[in-house]
Amino acid sequence: MEDVKEDSGPTLADLGITSKTSTAKTALGKTKVYEKLTRWEKLFLLFSLISFAAVLGLTIQRLTVLPHSSSNFTFALVLLLNILFCLYYAYNGVFREREFELYAFIAATVIVLFYVIVEFIVHPKQRNGYKIARLAVICVLAPVDIGLCWKSIQEFGWLEFNIVGATELLQKAYRTVCRFSALLNFDIQLQFSLLILIVSNFTQLSTLEKVVIGLGVGISVVMFIVGQLAVRTESVVMVAIFILLSVCEPGYIAYKFAKIIVFLSYDVVPAEGSALILDISIFVVGVVALIVRTALILLLNQAYRNFNIGLRDKSYGCCSVDRSLARTKNRH
């Protein structure tokens, strides 16, 4: 790919305007400082922390009393994982103005809300004070969280301009990288959710499956790291490695789908109760994971086409300030 550089014009950072007090440099790139957050963003962070901390506490308390072999314990673990990702999406999305991570927050919140409501309706005999409290908290606060999240998204844009300037080409490239990063986070969230659902029947897995799952965990973590570094360093080699690793999970999901369909067709496992709910959950999460993985590859292709246009330097502060700008700044 040809090394194309385009004059992006001065950014706020180039001109030295408010960057010291409005942004902070981290290993992940520039972030906003707390004082720069708008009223809506602060309210969103406050309410999301309160609501998910409450549900998190209730879920952890529930995990301490449930038998590890029960399906309720498995689904509580999945709920716990999604709550942690929700909190990550909220804070990283706001401080780094990652619009699509807040969309992921909305999606994860809807998943948590859907699970809590359905679980409460499907198991009327298992209703207790814990489930009523959890249902009340999530039903009251989740809509507020989603509304504040949406309002916060509408006010984004300042940090993007501060990082890449006013050039449309760089802005589009930056948004593509942000989308890819957010979807990569959502991808690993789905992978670990699927892992929890599958290993809940660990004793029923074959030795080969146990080995494959063990390797799959390592591959998932490596793929996540490689994907983040690939778009950050604009490395063609890492892009190739990411694509090669990305076919592993879809292959296993396809195998698992075929196995579930065969088992249910021949009544190898009970087609009722918790076993059926677990199989349906694996199927649904697997389908969503395949869709997300496909979208991830398409976004990586778009990000790859934007390599070597100057985005890497702008995003991570490696660019040099134009001397004419420096002279202008010194005169003032």
Side-chain angles (χ1 to χ4, degrees):
M1 182 180 293
E2 295 182 2
D3 188 2
V4 179
K5 296 286 183 181
E6 179 170 319
D7 181 15
S8 61
T11 65
L12 294 178
D14 293 331
L15 296 172
I17 300 175
T18 70
S19 60
K20 290 183 179 180
T21 57
S22 300
T23 63
K25 287 186 179 180
T26 69
L28 299 177
K30 282 186 177 180
T31 66
K32 291 192 293 190
V33 296
Y34 180 78
E35 291 74 15
K36 186 63 182 178
L37 300 182
T38 66
R39 177 184 59 182
W40 292 109
E41 290 170 339
K42 291 177 180 178
L43 282 173
F44 166 61
L45 292 179
L46 176 62
F47 272 87
S48 62
L49 178 61
I50 292 172
S51 56
F52 284 101
V55 178
L56 182 65
L58 291 170
T59 303
I60 293 174
Q61 186 277 332
R62 187 64 173 167
L63 285 171
T64 60
V65 298
L66 286 171
H68 292 186
S69 58
S70 71
S71 60
N72 283 334
F73 184 84
T74 300
F75 288 117
L77 278 178
V78 174
L79 180 62
L80 177 65
L81 177 70
N82 280 272
I83 291 170
L84 294 176
F85 268 96
C86 279
L87 290 172
Y88 169 77
Y89 291 142
Y91 281 80
N92 192 62
V94 167
F95 279 98
R96 298 182 67 199
E97 285 198 357
R98 294 300 179 94
E99 175 184 350
F100 281 83
E101 288 196 3
L102 291 192
Y103 290 146
F105 170 88
I106 293 175
T109 301
V110 170
I111 291 171
V112 172
L113 180 62
F114 178 78
Y115 164 75
V116 170
I117 293 174
V118 170
E119 202 270 344
F120 188 82
I121 295 173
V122 171
H123 298 108
K125 295 181 180 180
Q126 299 178 13
R127 293 173 186 171
N128 50 38
Y130 155 74
K131 291 189 176 182
I132 294 174
R134 185 181 66 178
L135 180 68
V137 170
I138 198 69
C139 286
V140 171
L141 294 180
V144 177
D145 288 337
I146 292 174
L148 290 173
C149 179
W150 184 261
K151 183 65 178 178
S152 298
I153 291 172
Q154 308 309 308
E155 301 191 359
F156 282 1
W158 179 88
L159 186 62
E160 175 186 295
F161 181 75
N162 183 279
I163 292 173
V164 299
T167 303
E168 185 178 2
L169 177 63
L170 282 177
Q171 288 183 352
K172 287 183 177 180
Y174 178 75
R175 290 171 194 157
T176 298
V177 170
C178 290
R179 291 188 190 108
F180 174 81
S181 179
L183 206 58
L184 190 58
N185 291 330
F186 195 53
D187 179 79
I188 199 168
Q189 176 186 353
L190 290 170
Q191 289 185 61
F192 282 120
S193 296
L194 195 60
L195 175 68
I196 293 171
L197 293 171
I198 291 173
V199 301
S200 61
N201 289 326
F202 192 74
T203 56
Q204 298 180 13
L205 298 175
S206 66
T207 302
L208 179 59
E209 271 195 277
K210 292 177 182 178
V211 173
V212 170
I213 290 172
L215 291 174
V217 173
I219 290 174
S220 298
V221 174
V222 171
M223 196 184 85
F224 175 79
I225 296 172
V226 169
Q228 296 287 8
L229 291 177
V231 294
R232 173 170 178 163
T233 62
E234 298 186 353
S235 169
V236 178
V237 174
M238 287 191 177
V239 169
I241 294 173
F242 181 88
I243 292 175
L244 289 175
L245 293 176
S246 67
V247 301
C248 297
E249 186 199 30
Y252 179 75
I253 290 176
Y255 160 76
K256 200 67 182 177
F257 281 179
K259 189 175 180 180
I260 289 174
I261 292 171
V262 170
F263 278 10
L264 292 178
S265 299
Y266 291 93
D267 293 325
V268 179
V269 295
E272 60 180 3
S274 59
L276 179 60
I277 295 174
L278 192 62
D279 286 336
I280 292 174
S281 300
I282 291 174
F283 191 85
V284 171
V285 175
V287 169
V288 176
L290 290 176
I291 294 172
V292 170
R293 182 59 58 86
T294 302
L296 200 58
I297 298 301
L298 295 175
L299 276 175
L300 180 60
N301 179 60
Q302 291 182 24
Y304 170 74
R305 293 175 180 273
N306 292 325
F307 283 5
N308 298 319
I309 64 172
L311 178 62
R312 176 180 58 185
D313 295 335
K314 287 287 187 181
S315 297
Y316 299 101
C318 302
C319 57
S320 59
V321 179
D322 190 296
R323 293 187 179 182
S324 62
L325 288 173
R327 289 194 296 269
T328 302
K329 179 183 173 183
N330 290 335
R331 283 199 298 266
H332 294 283

